[in-house]
């Protein structure tokens, strides 16, 4: 075990805790630290020179007075005293500390001091942590006691989300819950590694504002995927700066959500969009039933809510499983006249024999090989006549199958909490929203996600412009740079008409009238040169490419996320359309194909309104090549973009290139 991992293990599994700033004053921060530490399993030592005894416990003048090896120090002191107390803790041989305060103006000194002492550090600006696996409670705020126990290890940058999830009253619980704050020393990757060393951790939940220690975070997420531990990530803020997204059109299309999604997709993690989706996803994964592959299915007691569910699923890009003929016949035998056997399924007719009717349909659908996860989509409201048929039906089925099941409700406030608890206690998740619940079902249906780790042999180069693209096997139009009209005519004679003339004096050439297409002879070329030469004497002469679909392909170097490959609708409409897909390099052909297929302009590549189909495989070659380039040259370039790449039946060719080196 490395020194870093040993320090983190000593902190999260502390056997002795010093509470610096302990207080007997009711409701004070110091008292809350004492109460929480005393609830835990560690030996507790109180430190405050103002008191001799607090709540019947001896209180010492200084941490140096403790006659014990201190694993963890809770620093509930103002920032003005923080450095002195941290130095005292390091001098006493403490192995770790929790910094609840903001450490404003002191962060570099705090970091340097902790690192030099080999201490793990939770915070600054955090709520602390609870390790339910061994009973350690290192908190400055009162949290549930006992903590809802389960299989989730939670790491969150948000203290509010920390408390909210611990009080969620949902069908999941925790092995470890960490409010990590600013992560001045110990970061998310450290906590993930600790959690993965614990065989009781079956799910990891992250709420992150910005990626820290990205290479180690990637390794930790990859390790989780390899161990078969789902990682569910909610991301907020952390806008990737990417050197102000540089000058490339593709860079202007990147955003923090897309970058996070690209990172998660490359490492097999589940990316969610909000707290509701996080909670529903954690609950359905915590139930422990895993998908065998396939799509979702829902069984309803309302035709209108069935239609609403179908609408929301369409917006989320979720497909309902096509049921087999055997399943459809089985369902049809149970339905009242006028109801169709289909997925999603409306079962409600006369209301007779509800338990058996819904149970039979749920059983048939969950047994279908095309179905990954099945939900009973009812609102689970309190039944004033005491009817328990819905809950009984799904519990009956849950006893007979290990297929994933859930209840999908529409309005959280209308849910009968007693019935929901009964279902959860018996391993049936209750998802508290159509949108968030469907998204959670989709995540479970697709997990485990494929990990894109293609082989790549680096081959960096000092070439620039079109030569750079050609080095990576990207087809380019024959192009020559010249500085006068006669040189332009000579270049065109070698290249062969028709040609394109472009100014070299502007990045966005079309915007300033710096591009002339389809020049057919020397006279037309001289006229074109006169048109653009007011921008400057330097121009390029290029061969005309075959007509086709314009696509932008490139990479940007983002300061937070590293290199990102961007594929987008190309040409002059690139920013307006904002049709783009982002991935972390390098890329396999499978991942590159997924990027291209996700574009809204994808139908154009198949041939639109009589146009011939384009060579999509050639475009995928270009995307893969940019993935290799991004890995090799991320330390050289802020951005490289080929826009447009013209994709035609004859292949894909880059007709313009924009590069920006790191300055």
């Amino acid at each position: 075990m490395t020194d870093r991992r040993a320090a983190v293990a000593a902190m999260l599994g502390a056997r002795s805790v010093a509470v610096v700033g302990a207080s007997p004053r009711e409701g004070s921060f110091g008292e809350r630290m004492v109460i929480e530490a005393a609830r835990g399993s560690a030996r507790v030592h109180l430190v405050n020179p103002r008191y001799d005894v607090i709540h019947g416990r001896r209180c010492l003048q200084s941490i140096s007075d403790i006659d014990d090896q201190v694993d963890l120090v809770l620093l509930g002191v103002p920032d003005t005293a923080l450095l002195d107390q941290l130095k005292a803790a390091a001098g006493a041989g403490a192995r770790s500390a929790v910094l609840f305060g903001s450490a404003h103006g002191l962060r570099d000194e705090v970091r340097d001091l902790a690192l030099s002492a080999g201490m793990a550090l939770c915070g600054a600006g955090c709520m602390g942590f609870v390790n339910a696996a061994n009973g350690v409670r290192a908190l400055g705020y009162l949290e549930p006691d006992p903590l809802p126990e389960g299989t989730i290890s939670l790491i969150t940058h948000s203290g509010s989300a920390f408390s909210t999830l611990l009080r969620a009253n949902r069908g999941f619980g925790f092995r470890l819950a960490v409010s990590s704050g600013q992560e001045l020393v110990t970061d998310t990757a450290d906590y993930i590694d600790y959690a993965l060393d614990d065989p009781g951790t079956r799910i990891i939940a992250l709420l992150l504002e910005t990626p820290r220690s990205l290479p180690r975070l990637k390794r930790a997420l990859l390790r989780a995927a390899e161990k078969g531990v789902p990682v569910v990530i909610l991301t907020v803020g952390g806008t990737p700066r990417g050197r102000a997204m540089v000058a490339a059109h593709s860079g202007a299309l990147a955003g923090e959500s897309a970058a996070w999604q690209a990172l998660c997709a490359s490492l097999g993690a589940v990316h969610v969009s909000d707290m509701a989706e996080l909670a529903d996803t954690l609950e359905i994964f915590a139930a422990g039933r895993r998908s065998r592959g396939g799509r979702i299915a829902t069984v309803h007691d309302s035709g209108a809510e069935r239609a609403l569910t179908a609408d929301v699923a369409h917006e989320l890009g979720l497909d309902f499983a096509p049921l087999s003929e055997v399943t459809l016949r089985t369902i049809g035998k149970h339905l009242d006249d006028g109801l169709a056997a289909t997925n999603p399924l409306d079962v409600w007719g006369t209301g007779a024999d509800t338990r058996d009717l819904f149970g039979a349909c749920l059983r048939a659908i969950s047994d279908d090989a095309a179905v990954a996860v099945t939900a009973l989509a009812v609102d689970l409201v309190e039944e004033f006549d005491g009817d328990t048929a819905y809950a009984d039906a799904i519990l009956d089925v849950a006893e007979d199958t290990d297929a994933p099941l859930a209840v999908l409700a529409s309005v959280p406030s209308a849910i009968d909490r007693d019935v929901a608890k009964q279902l959860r206690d018996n391993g049936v998740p209750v998802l508290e929203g159509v949108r968030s619940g469907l998204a959670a079902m989709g995540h479970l249906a697709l997990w485990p996600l494929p990990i894109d780790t293609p082989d790549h042999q680096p081959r960096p180069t000092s070439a620039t412009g079109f030569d750079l693209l050609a080095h990576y096997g990207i087809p380019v139009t024959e192009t020559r740079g010249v500085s006068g009209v006669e040189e332009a005519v000579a270049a065109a004679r070698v290249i062969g008409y028709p040609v394109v003339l472009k100014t070299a004096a502007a990045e966005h050439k079309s915007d300033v009238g710096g591009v002339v297409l389809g020049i057919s002879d020397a006279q037309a070329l001289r006229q074109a040169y006169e048109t653009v030469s007011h921008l400057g004497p330097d121009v390029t002469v290029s061969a005309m490419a075959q007509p086709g679909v314009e696509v932008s392909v490139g990479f940007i170097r983002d300061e937070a996320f590293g290199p990102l490959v961007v594929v987008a609708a190309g040409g002059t409409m690139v920013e307006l359309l904002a049709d783009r897909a982002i991935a972390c390099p390098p890329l396999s052909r499978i991942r590159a194909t997924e990027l291209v297929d996700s574009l809204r302009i994808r139908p154009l590549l198949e041939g639109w309104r009589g146009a011939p189909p384009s060579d999509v495989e050639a475009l995928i070659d270009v995307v893969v090549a940019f993935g290799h380039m991004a890995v090799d040259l991320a330390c050289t370039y802020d951005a490289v973009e080929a826009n447009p790449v013209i994709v035609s039946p004859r292949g894909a060719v880059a007709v313009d290139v924009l590069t920006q080196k790191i300055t």
Side-chain angles (χ1 to χ4, degrees):
M1 181 182 291
T2 65
D3 291 343
R4 185 181 184 104
R5 290 181 73 171
V8 174
M11 176 174 70
L12 298 177
R15 291 172 292 182
S16 61
V17 177
V19 182
V20 178
S23 173
R25 185 163 55 86
E26 185 176 356
S28 67
F29 192 89
E31 185 196 42
R32 294 200 299 266
M33 286 194 300
V34 173
I35 291 172
E36 284 291 0
R39 287 172 171 176
S41 59
R43 302 184 299 276
V44 178
H45 306 281
L46 308 185
V47 178
N48 191 326
R50 298 173 58 189
Y51 305 102
D52 295 324
V53 176
I54 295 177
H55 294 341
R57 292 176 178 268
R58 182 187 178 195
C59 187
L60 303 174
Q61 299 292 297
S62 168
I63 191 172
S64 62
D65 296 332
I66 299 175
D67 186 19
D68 190 6
Q69 168 63 52
V70 176
D71 292 321
L72 174 63
V73 179
L74 307 185
L75 292 174
V77 298
D79 285 351
T80 53
L82 180 58
L83 279 177
D84 287 341
Q85 292 301 326
L86 185 59
K87 288 176 183 176
R95 305 181 69 185
S96 63
V98 176
L99 274 60
F100 298 104
S102 68
H104 182 68
L106 305 171
R107 291 165 192 169
D108 290 342
E109 294 175 87
V110 166
R111 181 185 296 108
D112 292 344
L113 175 57
L115 288 173
S116 65
M119 297 175 68
L121 205 64
C122 183
C126 69
M127 305 276 284
F129 68 87
V130 183
N131 191 336
N134 57 21
V136 179
R137 296 178 71 93
L139 298 161
Y141 305 86
L142 300 181
E143 297 294 349
D145 181 36
L147 191 72
E149 291 192 34
T151 60
I152 296 172
S153 283
L154 167 70
I155 302 103
T156 169
H157 291 170
S158 165
S160 176
F162 175 80
S163 292
T164 297
L165 289 168
L166 298 191
R167 295 164 168 78
N169 297 312
R170 298 291 299 265
F172 54 77
F174 302 91
R175 294 283 289 181
L176 174 71
V178 181
S179 165
S180 60
Q182 298 162 17
E183 297 186 352
L184 297 183
V185 174
T186 305
D187 55 38
T188 299
D190 295 312
Y191 297 120
I192 294 174
D193 278 332
Y194 178 88
L196 292 174
D197 289 338
D198 171 18
T201 293
R202 305 293 176 82
I203 304 164
I204 292 174
L206 307 177
L207 192 155
L208 306 180
E209 295 177 350
T210 188
R212 300 184 178 114
S213 304
L214 188 64
R216 291 193 304 107
L217 178 60
K218 286 183 175 181
R219 288 195 295 271
L221 293 176
L222 185 59
R223 182 183 171 210
E226 291 170 343
K227 289 176 67 72
V229 176
V231 180
V232 183
I233 305 181
L234 172 60
T235 59
V236 295
T239 304
R241 297 163 296 282
R243 298 285 182 116
M245 294 310 181
V246 296
H249 293 302
S250 56
L253 295 173
E256 75 271 13
S257 179
W260 273 116
Q261 290 171 16
L263 180 68
C264 291
S266 69
L267 298 168
V270 175
H271 187 265
V272 299
S273 60
D274 57 29
M275 288 286 285
E277 187 179 341
L278 174 64
D280 277 349
T281 302
L282 292 178
E283 180 157 346
I284 201 168
F285 273 92
R289 301 181 182 220
R290 294 293 179 257
S291 167
R292 62 198 168 199
R295 301 174 184 174
I296 67 169
T298 53
V299 176
H300 299 257
D301 67 345
S302 163
E305 291 195 1
R306 178 182 70 156
L308 173 63
T309 300
D311 290 343
V312 174
H314 177 75
E315 292 175 12
L316 293 172
L318 293 176
D319 293 326
F320 287 89
L323 302 180
S324 70
E325 290 298 325
V326 172
T327 302
L328 294 173
R329 285 196 298 271
T330 300
I331 294 171
K333 294 176 182 177
H334 298 281
L335 297 178
D336 290 342
D337 291 341
L339 296 176
T342 187
N343 180 27
L345 175 66
D346 178 15
V347 175
W348 189 260
T350 64
D353 301 320
T354 301
R355 178 175 182 174
D356 291 340
L357 173 62
F358 277 80
C361 293
L362 286 167
R363 185 173 288 104
I365 290 176
S366 62
D367 286 344
D368 193 293
V371 175
V373 53
T374 306
L376 174 59
V378 296
D379 287 318
L380 213 65
V381 297
E382 181 181 0
E383 300 289 354
F384 295 124
D385 60 2
D387 184 16
T388 61
Y390 289 140
D392 293 338
I394 197 165
L395 289 173
D396 291 343
V397 178
E399 288 185 0
D400 298 336
T401 181
D402 59 1
L405 297 168
V407 170
L408 179 65
S410 298
V411 182
S413 59
I415 294 173
D416 186 321
R417 292 295 157 184
D418 291 337
V419 175
K421 184 177 186 304
Q422 178 193 12
L423 292 168
R424 288 165 171 155
D425 288 347
N426 285 276
V428 177
V430 178
L431 309 178
E432 298 192 357
V434 171
R435 188 174 301 274
S436 57
L438 284 172
M441 292 171 65
H443 295 317
L444 183 63
L446 292 174
W447 198 86
L449 298 168
I451 300 174
D452 196 39
T453 54
D455 293 331
H456 170 58
Q457 299 299 322
R459 48 179 186 144
T461 178
S462 59
T464 60
F466 282 112
D467 291 338
L468 171 60
L469 301 187
H471 176 79
Y472 283 92
I474 298 170
V476 298
T477 54
E478 185 176 357
T479 299
R480 299 195 175 198
V482 298
S483 298
V485 65
E486 294 306 323
E487 289 184 25
V489 171
R493 187 181 305 118
V494 174
I495 293 171
Y497 291 100
V499 295
V500 179
L501 187 72
K502 299 179 183 178
T503 181
E507 291 172 348
H508 307 307
K509 300 172 178 61
S510 297
D511 295 350
V512 295
V515 178
V516 181
L517 303 174
I519 301 170
S520 59
D521 55 35
Q523 180 180 354
L525 179 57
R526 286 188 171 91
Q527 292 174 348
Y529 185 86
E530 184 177 349
T531 300
V532 303
S533 61
H534 72 282
L535 298 169
D538 295 338
V539 298
T540 60
V541 181
S542 303
M544 277 287 293
Q546 289 288 320
V549 180
E550 294 186 348
V551 180
S552 169
V553 186
F555 80 86
I556 63 166
R557 185 185 69 88
D558 181 78
E559 290 183 3
F561 290 92
L564 298 170
V565 174
V566 184
V567 183
T572 59
M573 301 289 284
V574 57
E575 295 104 329
L576 179 63
L577 294 177
D579 180 17
R580 56 93 179 99
I582 296 176
C584 294
L587 307 180
S588 67
R589 289 192 67 81
I590 293 174
R591 183 69 181 121
T593 301
E594 291 173 349
L595 293 185
V596 172
D597 288 347
S598 70
L599 297 176
R600 294 196 300 275
I601 64 166
R602 180 64 174 84
L604 296 179
L605 295 168
E606 291 297 326
W608 184 256
R609 293 194 172 183
S614 300
D615 187 347
V616 176
E617 292 301 314
L619 173 60
I620 291 168
D621 289 338
V622 174
V623 176
V624 171
F626 263 99
H628 294 160
M629 188 192 308
V631 173
D632 293 349
L633 302 179
C635 294
T636 304
Y637 287 96
D638 274 325
V640 178
E641 179 193 29
N643 181 32
V645 174
I646 297 182
V647 191
S648 71
R650 296 187 180 183
V653 59
V655 301
D656 203 355
V657 59
L658 172 66
T659 63
Q660 183 166 329
K661 285 194 171 184
I662 297 171
T663 56

